Amino acid sequence: MTETAEKIRDHFELFREPQYEELMENKRKNFENYVGDAEVTRVADWTKTKEYQDKNFAREALVINPAKACQPLGAVFAAVGFEKTLPFVHGSQGCVAYYRSHFTRHFKEPTSCVSSSMTEDAAVFGGLNNMIDGLANAYALYKPKMIAVSTTCMAEVIGDDLNAFIKNAKEKGSVPQEFDVTYAHTPAFVGSHITGYDNTMKGIVEHFWDGKSGTVEKLERKPNESINFLGGFDGYTVGNIREIKRIFELMGVDYTIFGDNSDVWDTPADGEFRMYDGGTTLEQAANAVHAKATISMQEFCTEKTLATIADHGQEVVAFNHPVGIAGTDRFLQAVSRITGKAIPEALTKERGRLVDAIGDSSAHIHGKKFAIYGDPDLCYGLAEFILELGGEPVHILATNGNKAWEAKVQALLDSSPFGAGCKVYAGKDLWHLRSLLFTEPVDFMIGNTYGKYLERDTGTPLIRLGFPVFDRHHHHRSPVWGYQGSMNVLVKILDKIFDEMDKATNTAGKTDVSFDIIR
């Protein structure tokens, strides 16, 4: 049946028409090395066994569906947090299209980013000319106040030197000599998006504080009472940064959000296109050297940046994506200690309300088993909150986690009776998690949208928390940090539990004796 102007069907109806089903069946049997339904079922069943799990965990040279992205994605995330800053990726257009689309699908906002458009000739002869032309075009067309350069695999494999290339480009007149161009080498074949975030933030700190690649004098630190705040790579950056600002203002803290991308990914629809919106000003970025301390909300996402900041004489304090009572307590107590500002009554009341809400609902979470996957700091924060709620985080998996992270999470599990028997998996991917979900099932998964396929395959309900979340809208606008943010996480977990309870009790005349209005 063809489409008509009176009735345009969406794809999930259209492709159920007989002619499309016939087309797909013909394609499967004649062009996809079809082996028959029985063989497919036999192999699929075998992949759910402990025997297959052992083989799956023994693999070394193959990654299947990793729960991470590549370094340049993190570089773009960091760059857009600064005033009128254009991310510039020294690599191919295809790579940059991926970064732009990835953020746009998560935040539902356009993400500005340019490339040096390297092709085959640049891969052979080097990308200097691409850098010279690219910086000139970006400066002339998009009128940024700063350009933050990062690299992709291609530029790194051939060994392009960003510092030398940028100096050459300035000597050729691509941009004025005094124009701010920061850089970070971010090869996509090692590390992950959190490494790229860290490298880029470190590059921006060094640029402003250490003399802009030898072109001006290094800044002399004159300590004041302000603090710097680093959020790290965070899919909830819009809601979280606004929540942190609210908390700091309640406490009367003098602060600088170092890399504030809360506005650029939440621009209003008022008829004006904003290529740049908000962001930490370049003056603030430079003056941040004078701060008393820098607080990072994600330890494993800011390791190099914090080490660089510490070398400049500041105290540095790192957390692990604090969610829940204990995590938020530690954060607020650290802010209070460093600044000398008391924790206000308003925040104390918010804490009490969260404790009350946990008490109201703990019976529904107590004893529930969870699998958690995602970035290292997020996994730690969520695991700590699940333990507070009386749940059991049975599997905790971070593809970009390391041995230090694994040991830290294990220590957390060992500190609670609900952590007994729970395991941590650094460097494993979602195909490993699939095996675990079949051999050691849990009640719920917590992670990003990519767990959607695991949910269908294993029958484990998915609670969407993390980055990216493509198939649900506007989650990034709600905070998950602070007592208010923790309340959001609690409600999200409870909603899924109640949805599953309703699904399991809604057969009329059989199970609906427990299909209750009141939960």
Side-chain angles (χ1 to χ4, degrees):
M1 181 183 294
T2 57
E3 295 292 281
T4 66
E6 289 74 26
K7 185 178 182 182
I8 303 294
R9 288 162 298 173
D10 207 336
H11 52 87
F12 47 77
E13 287 184 343
L14 179 67
F15 292 115
R16 291 174 186 173
E17 292 294 324
Q19 69 268 37
Y20 287 109
E21 291 192 346
E22 183 181 348
L23 183 150
M24 298 295 183
E25 183 67 11
N26 182 56
K27 177 174 176 289
R28 187 166 67 95
K29 289 189 173 178
N30 295 307
F31 300 101
E32 295 181 356
N33 197 25
Y34 179 63
V35 294
D37 291 342
E39 178 64 4
V40 170
T41 300
R42 184 191 69 79
V43 173
D45 288 343
W46 174 63
T47 64
K48 302 172 185 177
T49 64
K50 184 67 170 61
E51 178 191 5
Y52 180 81
Q53 178 183 312
D54 293 340
K55 293 181 181 295
N56 191 13
F57 272 70
R59 65 182 155 92
E60 297 178 353
L62 175 69
V63 176
I64 304 172
N65 202 7
K68 70 179 184 68
C70 61
Q71 281 207 53
L73 189 83
V76 173
F77 183 98
V80 301
F82 293 87
E83 173 192 18
K84 295 192 71 172
T85 295
L86 183 65
F88 181 111
V89 181
H90 187 44
S92 72
Q93 291 183 4
C95 291
V96 176
Y98 156 61
Y99 314 137
R100 285 196 297 247
S101 65
H102 217 61
F103 286 126
T104 299
R105 287 166 178 167
H106 176 82
F107 292 110
K108 314 303 179 192
E109 295 282 350
T111 300
S112 299
C113 179
V114 298
S115 82
S116 56
S117 301
M118 291 176 69
T119 53
E120 290 84 351
D121 58 338
V124 174
F125 300 111
L128 176 59
N129 289 333
N130 296 66
M131 180 69 72
I132 293 170
D133 293 343
L135 286 179
N137 289 335
Y139 180 74
L141 287 172
Y142 304 117
K143 300 176 174 46
K145 201 166 182 178
M146 181 169 88
I147 294 176
V149 179
S150 57
T151 53
T152 64
C153 304
M154 185 194 295
E156 290 296 328
V157 167
I158 62 177
D160 282 359
D161 182 341
L162 288 185
N163 188 27
F165 279 20
I166 292 167
K167 284 181 178 175
N168 265 307
K170 285 191 171 183
E171 287 170 3
K172 296 283 185 182
S174 297
V175 297
Q177 284 288 346
E178 67 278 10
F179 184 79
D180 290 307
V181 181
T182 66
Y183 67 91
H185 287 275
T186 53
F189 46 76
V190 295
S192 73
H193 54 288
I194 64 172
T195 324
Y197 174 93
D198 196 13
N199 286 333
T200 299
M201 279 298 188
K202 177 176 178 284
I204 291 173
V205 168
E206 290 176 335
H207 174 80
F208 284 105
W209 298 6
D210 290 342
K212 301 185 178 182
S213 299
T215 60
V216 298
E217 291 291 322
K218 292 184 179 180
L219 294 178
E220 181 183 351
R221 182 168 179 263
K222 299 173 182 175
N224 58 33
E225 293 301 307
S226 69
I227 60 171
N228 300 323
F229 177 87
L230 280 167
F233 190 107
D234 172 27
Y236 298 86
T237 187
V238 172
N240 275 341
I241 286 185
R242 289 174 181 168
E243 178 65 9
I244 292 301
K245 287 178 180 176
R246 185 185 72 87
I247 290 172
F248 283 166
E249 284 158 15
L250 277 172
M251 295 182 70
V253 171
D254 182 9
Y255 67 92
T256 296
I257 304 289
F258 203 87
D260 180 357
N261 42 29
S262 58
D263 286 338
V264 73
W265 278 318
D266 195 23
T267 57
D270 56 4
E272 176 190 351
F273 170 68
R274 296 167 175 82
M275 188 160 183
Y276 315 99
D277 198 5
T280 307
T281 68
L282 306 193
E283 184 180 6
Q284 287 174 321
N287 287 335
V289 71
H290 306 303
K292 187 176 185 180
T294 293
I295 291 175
S296 166
M297 294 298 254
Q298 299 199 63
E299 175 187 7
F300 295 98
C301 188
T302 51
E303 291 174 313
K304 296 175 188 171
T305 307
L306 289 182
T308 301
I309 291 172
D311 287 343
H312 287 79
Q314 287 187 26
E315 178 184 354
V316 295
V317 181
F319 299 93
N320 301 105
H321 219 294
V323 182
I325 300 290
T328 306
D329 285 354
R330 287 197 298 272
F331 168 65
L332 292 180
Q333 287 164 1
V335 173
S336 179
R337 177 185 62 77
I338 294 168
T339 64
K341 304 287 186 181
I343 298 172
E345 180 66 18
L347 292 177
T348 304
K349 284 187 175 178
E350 288 178 15
R351 185 184 192 278
R353 293 181 188 117
L354 177 60
V355 171
D356 182 61
I358 291 172
D360 292 343
S361 309
S362 62
H364 293 289
I365 303 178
H366 184 88
K368 292 284 191 304
K369 298 181 186 299
F370 295 85
I372 302 171
Y373 63 90
D375 287 337
D377 292 290
L378 177 63
C379 284
Y380 184 99
L382 290 173
E384 185 173 35
F385 191 36
I386 291 296
L387 291 173
E388 283 183 348
L389 299 173
E392 298 175 21
V394 176
H395 311 302
I396 305 171
L397 183 148
T399 309
N400 49 356
N402 56 27
K403 291 298 179 186
W405 169 80
E406 194 172 69
K408 186 163 188 171
V409 179
Q410 189 59 55
L412 171 69
L413 295 173
D414 294 341
S415 69
S416 168
F418 302 115
C422 302
K423 294 181 181 176
V424 193
Y425 300 93
K428 301 302 181 186
D429 54 43
L430 294 184
W431 193 251
H432 290 113
L433 182 59
R434 177 182 181 273
S435 282
L436 293 171
L437 292 175
F438 279 121
T439 58
E440 301 170 63
V442 297
D443 298 304
F444 297 93
M445 278 186 294
I446 302 180
N448 63 28
T449 284
Y450 292 118
K452 182 171 188 167
Y453 299 101
L454 288 177
E455 180 179 40
R456 182 179 61 182
D457 196 8
T458 68
T460 312
L462 172 64
I463 299 166
R464 287 167 175 77
L465 276 164
F467 176 90
V469 175
F470 290 151
D471 61 340
R472 299 291 185 272
H473 287 200
H474 311 308
H475 287 202
H476 62 278
R477 290 189 168 93
S478 299
V480 300
W481 289 340
Y483 302 124
Q484 300 277 48
S486 304
M487 188 77 81
N488 293 334
V489 175
L490 175 64
V491 170
K492 195 182 288 284
I493 293 170
L494 287 167
D495 280 352
K496 192 67 175 182
I497 290 173
F498 295 140
D499 283 346
E500 292 302 311
M501 288 171 69
D502 287 344
K503 272 198 264 181
T505 58
N506 68 354
T507 305
K510 291 186 178 178
T511 63
D512 63 344
V513 66
S514 299
F515 189 64
D516 296 332
I517 291 294
I518 300 172
R519 293 291 192 191

